Amino acid sequence: MTYPAARWTLELVRSLSETYCYVTERSILVSVFTLPAPLTATVAGAAHPTRATFDVVNPATGEIFAAAPDASVADVDAAARVAHDAFPSWRSDPAARRVALHAAADALDAARDEIVPILTAEQGKTLAQSAREVGVAAAYLRYYADMELERQLLRDDADAVVQIVHRPLGPAAIIAPWNFPLIIAVAKIAPALSAGNTVVLKPSPYTPLSSLKVGEVLRGVLPPGVFNVLSGGNEAGAALTAHPLIRKISFTGSTATGKAIAAAAAADLKRTTLELGGNDAAIILDDADPAVVATGIFARAFHNTGQVCVAPKRVYVPEKLRAAVVEAFADLARDARIGDGTDPATQYGPLNNRSQRDRVAELVSDAVSQGATLAAGGSVIEGSGFFYQPTILTDISDGVRIVDEEQFGPALPVIGYRDVEDALARANATHFGLGGSVWGTDPERAAAVVERVEAGMTWVNTHSATTFDQPFAGIKWSGIGIENGRWALEGFTEMQVIHQAR
Ligand code: NAD
């Protein structure tokens, strides 16, 4: 493994001028950035003070490096009220919305160099991945700026003219997780605002700063009250979803929280879109080239250090190819460069937080205690930060936690199967239904198999490939509602029928 080159002991140094510097143990300056301290919540287009703050930890060092506003129930109420007040004028002027959303995209692009180090410091991903994340967020705003749900003429005859229009819902609560804090939030914010809704965003308490920074950047770009950002814990999220002025909840996160939000929304029949957990299977067919498929699956399973909802989380391989595939995966795992996201040599950063790292470690230990073999990795990387070795497990089957549960980290079980029917039965024996893939040299055969995978998004010879215009949606316990394309706009509207008698 090549950890040592990339795994310098990094230490966070904070000067009086609020400049944050990373230095190596040899005191070589690696990167310097300045946080506009302290970042504040945005309510009604202005900084909104909160009484309390909470600590934000850099996962590459394990050290607290910033404080974020801890929104109270009163702060949540203030944000929901201004979003409600801003709604009538925002919904009534589509042309102004278009201009404002393009301006918001430009503002995000212009602020990219400020946002990128903040995102890497709080999330752990590499600077290149953070830059890409900011770019994708800006592109989402542009994509939705010009999209509209046209008025539809359903009937025009001797009896009646019947039209269908789409109305915005009102203030929307957007609640995001910590793995892609900006892409996930803006994939919701862009269609919400484009359709004429106003927004209150609550990022994860593990990654609040990049969202607070976006709130700050967009002050003065979007009309006051249209886009509000509050950081806080799960209680702030619960207060937001229960608020009577919130009419739509768009949530991405764990299935457990999604169920709690669905229950909270039910009392008021608030509309919900829930993008939840996954446990995607990748099925390798017996005509596959082991080295080729291992490379393709590894790239997607370990991207973002395995913290991707729609990543391969279980690999099913025919017994006759198992040894070759496991060996190819193990080589890739051993060669992976793990380290601080600010080090240009790093390919894979730390887990985002201690409890997630500990969960992955626990699932791997549990598997080993049940007879699984470690083909690569299997240990916490000692030192500061929440690092874990890229891990490949084999001699493992269904019924072991790391196969049955979502690991959300850099550990991949490789499971041998008898025949394709056996593989499909195992792949589908789960409550999850986010994604799935089939890999082989005959694409027609693979496509026929993938159609039988019970998941909202399925791929042949790739996995987790998404585009703005391709629906993003899970089935079963992986979600309700659709993101991307015009489906996301529809999800932020309700249909009205206008039937005009002749
Ligand atoms: P989480 O469910 O713990 O938290 C997500 C967000 O919900 C946070 O902002 C949190 O503060 C908030 N929250 C928690 N309890 C709440 C409550 N009762 N009411 C309102 N808000 C509440 O998820 P996480 O650990 O941040 O993210 C990891 C999970 O997200 C994984 O399961 C992953 O698969 C899933 N995820 C899914 C998708 C998808 O599109 N399907 C994408 C990314 C991540």
Side-chain angles (χ1 to χ4, degrees):
M1 286 184 209
T2 55
Y3 311 130
R7 278 285 295 121
W8 297 334
T9 305
L10 294 170
E11 187 190 352
L12 193 64
V13 178
R14 180 179 177 176
S15 78
L16 292 175
S17 65
E18 296 290 335
T19 295
Y20 294 77
C21 313
Y22 287 102
V23 294
T24 69
E25 51 198 357
R26 295 190 199 105
S27 292
I28 303 164
L29 191 66
V30 174
S31 111
V32 179
F33 64 93
T34 304
L35 284 181
L39 284 165
T40 47
T42 296
V43 175
H48 177 88
T50 60
R51 276 170 183 252
T53 59
F54 59 90
D55 294 334
V56 185
V57 171
N58 181 328
T61 63
E63 302 290 331
I64 296 166
F65 77 105
D70 195 1
S72 65
V73 171
D75 297 320
V76 168
D77 182 56
R81 283 180 192 281
V82 302
H84 175 75
D85 293 346
F87 177 54
S89 91
W90 180 250
R91 72 174 297 180
S92 66
D93 193 344
R97 292 205 295 272
R98 214 166 293 139
V99 172
L101 289 177
H102 277 292
D106 293 345
L108 276 200
D109 274 338
R112 189 165 69 167
D113 291 350
E114 290 174 74
I115 301 170
V116 163
I118 296 173
L119 181 53
T120 289
E122 68 178 359
Q123 206 287 328
K125 63 184 66 191
T126 65
L127 292 171
Q129 286 165 354
S130 291
R132 182 178 172 275
E133 180 148 357
V134 178
V136 171
Y140 257 119
L141 287 164
R142 273 192 201 99
Y143 175 72
Y144 280 107
D146 297 319
M147 194 185 286
E148 72 182 295
L149 297 173
E150 290 89 13
R151 185 175 282 260
Q152 192 187 341
L153 182 64
L154 200 66
R155 219 170 99 196
D156 183 359
D157 58 24
D159 296 328
V161 180
V162 181
Q163 299 178 78
I164 290 173
V165 295
H166 291 269
R167 304 158 55 103
L169 294 158
I174 289 176
I175 301 183
W178 45 257
N179 57 337
F180 292 95
L182 293 186
I183 289 179
I184 289 174
V186 180
K188 299 167 183 299
I189 293 163
L193 295 180
S194 173
N197 306 276
T198 55
V199 163
V200 180
L201 167 66
K202 196 208 78 69
S204 164
Y206 291 112
T207 53
L209 303 176
S210 50
S211 292
L212 292 166
K213 180 68 188 171
V214 167
E216 185 187 86
V217 166
L218 298 184
R219 289 175 199 163
V221 177
L222 297 170
V226 162
F227 176 54
N228 309 279
V229 187
L230 288 177
S231 54
N234 301 350
E235 310 70 33
L240 188 57
T241 54
H243 198 287
L245 293 177
I246 295 295
R247 301 316 310 153
K248 164 86 189 185
I249 303 165
S250 185
F251 168 79
T252 295
S254 63
T255 296
T257 306
K259 287 181 182 181
I261 287 177
D268 190 24
L269 288 180
K270 293 185 202 321
R271 279 25 179 184
T272 55
T273 296
L274 306 172
E275 294 291 355
L276 309 177
N279 193 15
D280 296 8
I283 300 175
I284 297 173
L285 298 180
D286 57 9
D287 60 2
D289 177 328
V292 170
V293 295
T295 302
I297 294 171
F298 187 92
R300 285 145 188 100
F302 288 82
H303 178 60
N304 210 38
T305 313
Q307 302 161 117
V308 178
C309 54
V310 65
K313 291 175 180 149
R314 312 171 268 158
V315 177
Y316 291 93
V317 59
E319 276 298 349
K320 69 169 189 176
L321 294 184
R322 184 159 68 100
V325 166
V326 166
E327 196 41 44
F329 275 138
D331 284 345
L332 292 162
R334 284 189 284 263
D335 287 346
R337 293 192 303 275
I338 317 304
D340 188 300
T342 60
D343 180 346
T346 294
Q347 291 176 301
Y348 302 96
L351 277 294
N352 171 257
N353 55 77
R354 185 181 297 280
S355 64
Q356 188 59 30
R357 196 271 307 268
D358 292 350
R359 175 175 159 77
V360 172
E362 181 191 320
L363 291 177
V364 172
S365 300
D366 172 72
V368 170
S369 76
Q370 300 211 40
T373 301
L374 284 167
S379 300
V380 162
I381 298 175
E382 294 307 333
S384 55
F386 311 135
F387 293 94
Y388 194 83
Q389 294 175 327
T391 296
I392 304 295
L393 290 151
T394 190
D395 299 319
I396 189 168
S397 193
D398 318 73
V400 177
R401 285 181 64 203
I402 201 164
V403 178
D404 294 353
E405 299 179 19
E406 181 185 35
Q407 67 273 48
F408 216 60
L412 190 63
V414 184
I415 303 142
Y417 71 78
R418 224 178 31 248
D419 53 37
V420 170
E421 293 306 317
D422 177 36
L424 279 167
R426 291 165 184 232
N428 291 336
T430 171
H431 282 301
F432 291 112
L434 196 55
S437 57
V438 176
W439 302 69
T441 47
D442 177 350
E444 298 300 316
R445 179 180 172 220
V449 176
V450 93
E451 272 195 48
R452 299 177 59 200
V453 172
E454 293 171 5
M457 293 168 281
T458 53
W459 294 272
V460 170
N461 290 331
T462 186
H463 200 115
S464 57
T466 54
T467 50
F468 294 160
D469 58 354
Q470 182 181 305
F472 191 104
I475 60 172
K476 302 204 253 181
W477 282 9
S478 290
I480 294 176
I482 305 169
E483 300 203 298
N484 284 354
R486 57 180 290 120
W487 298 277
L489 272 190
E490 286 170 2
F492 280 103
T493 59
E494 55 201 350
M495 191 189 282
Q496 182 182 12
V497 177
I498 304 172
H499 181 123
Q500 211 178 329
R502 290 275 187 207

